[in-house]
């Protein structure tokens, strides 16, 4: 952060916002403003260059062809990689999560190179599609409460040794590998399969992104009653027998 302004970048809303993940940008922006922060939010379409001066970059989910187009343009642009080298925070969901890895399977059935910002590789699952509510325990190192979200993906993502699983599932499939992992992170780069939007269901993840951007250990408290009501409702629904 510089000039006392938080710079929030929503990446490719024209390609990667299929499942309402733009709500993540709204949540981060609102929680920052509730704490008196000056926020500059930039929605960058796929025909525009990615700025390298952002503090937090958010990437959503998308269908197979838009995912391939997004990956091609992000590789060609190169600026998201440079932003991470500059210390930026990236939070990605589903297709965006796969794009941050080394490779994934595109809509043509081919191996598509990712950005290599996370040590993960995604392949096409051969079993049933992973669909439904998820409850998971976030890596204790992050100091966050239980993760709630909704998954809808065919991909299977393997986490390599240079990344950590973001969470361990209690209910749901997560990365789809059968090892109980969900998502991945390394340093300031995060990926998850969770929709919901995930930051509305898990506002303390949004606060973690803000703390990393501000380089602080704590934020002023705000009224979380609405978020907690939503969390309680969705956690209860996930725990209901099928």
């Amino acid at each position: 952060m510089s000039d006392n302004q938080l710079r929030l970048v929503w990446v490719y809303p024209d390609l990667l916002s299929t499942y309402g993940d733009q709500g993540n940008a709204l949540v981060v922006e609102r929680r920052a403003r509730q704490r008196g922060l000056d926020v500059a939010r930039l929605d960058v379409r796929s025909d525009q260059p990615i700025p390298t001066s952002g503090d937090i970059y958010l990437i959503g989910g998308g269908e197979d062809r838009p995912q391939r187009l997004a990956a091609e343009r992000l590789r060609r642009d190169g600026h998201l990689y440079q932003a991470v080298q500059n210390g930026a925070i990236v939070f990605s969901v589903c297709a965006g999560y796969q794009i941050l890895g080394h490779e994934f399977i595109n809509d043509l059935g081919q191996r598509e190179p990712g950005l290599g910002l996370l040590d993960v590789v995604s392949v096409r699952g051969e079993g049933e599609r992973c669909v439904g509510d998820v409850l998971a325990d976030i890596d204790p190192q992050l100091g966050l409460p239980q993760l709630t979200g909704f998954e809808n993906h065919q991909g299977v993502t393997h986490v390599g040794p240079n990344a950590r699983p973001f969470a361990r599932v209690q209910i749901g499939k997560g990365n789809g590998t059968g090892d109980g992992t969900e998502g991945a992170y390394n340093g300031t780069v995060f990926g998850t399969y969770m929709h919901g939007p995930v930051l509305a269901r898990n506002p303390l993840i949004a606060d973690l992104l803000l703390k990393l951007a501000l380089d602080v250990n704590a934020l002023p408290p705000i009224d979380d009653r609405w978020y907690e009501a939503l969390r309680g409702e969705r956690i209860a629904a996930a725990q209901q027998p099928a």
Side-chain angles (χ1 to χ4, degrees):
M1 221 176 117
S2 65
D3 302 323
N4 296 317
Q5 186 177 67
L6 181 75
R7 296 158 299 190
L8 178 63
V9 182
W10 176 240
V11 176
Y12 293 176
D14 53 329
L15 295 177
L16 299 174
S17 190
T18 302
Y19 301 113
D21 296 317
Q22 188 171 8
N24 292 328
L26 297 174
V27 169
V28 174
E29 182 178 15
R30 176 170 174 76
R31 293 182 74 81
R33 291 192 187 281
Q34 285 181 296
R35 293 175 167 104
L37 296 173
D38 181 14
V39 182
R41 176 179 152 192
L42 181 62
D43 293 4
V44 180
R45 295 177 59 86
S46 59
D47 60 351
Q48 299 173 316
I50 300 290
T52 60
S53 59
D55 296 301
I56 300 174
Y57 293 75
L58 298 167
I59 310 175
E63 298 177 352
D64 290 351
R65 185 172 183 273
Q67 180 188 22
R68 171 169 57 87
L69 295 176
E72 290 172 352
R73 294 173 189 187
L74 285 169
R75 290 197 309 270
R76 186 166 59 245
D77 178 90
H79 289 170
L80 184 60
Y81 184 88
Q82 184 59 53
V84 171
Q85 299 304 112
N86 292 342
I89 295 93
V90 180
F91 186 84
S92 60
V93 173
C94 203
Y97 168 35
Q98 293 184 356
I99 287 172
L100 293 190
H102 298 300
E103 65 179 43
F104 61 91
I105 304 300
N106 65 21
D107 58 309
L108 305 175
Q110 301 168 340
R111 290 162 48 175
E112 181 80 24
L115 302 184
L117 290 172
L118 273 176
D119 186 17
V120 301
V121 172
S122 298
V123 298
R124 188 70 55 83
E126 297 180 357
E128 293 183 357
R129 189 174 182 86
C130 300
V131 180
D133 274 301
V134 173
L135 289 179
D137 296 323
I138 295 177
D139 186 341
Q141 289 194 13
L142 297 176
L144 294 170
Q146 190 174 46
L147 174 70
T148 169
F150 185 87
E151 61 183 348
N152 183 359
H153 61 96
Q154 189 68 43
V156 172
T157 298
H158 300 271
V159 180
N162 293 319
R164 294 179 62 89
F166 183 57
R168 299 275 176 179
V169 294
Q170 294 184 359
I171 298 172
K173 301 295 185 181
N175 285 328
T177 56
D179 63 359
T181 62
E182 199 297 302
Y185 76 99
N186 182 36
T188 61
V189 180
F190 299 83
T192 178
Y193 273 114
M194 296 300 98
H195 301 287
V198 65
L199 297 186
R201 290 194 184 200
N202 305 272
L204 294 187
I205 299 176
D207 287 357
L208 172 64
L209 305 180
L210 291 173
K211 286 188 286 187
L212 289 171
L214 297 168
D215 193 21
V216 297
N217 293 322
L219 296 170
I222 56 176
D223 186 354
D224 269 344
R225 285 176 293 180
W226 181 89
Y227 295 100
E228 288 305 318
L230 175 63
R231 278 181 58 78
E233 173 189 302
R234 299 321 307 160
I235 289 173
Q239 292 172 333
Q240 291 296 318

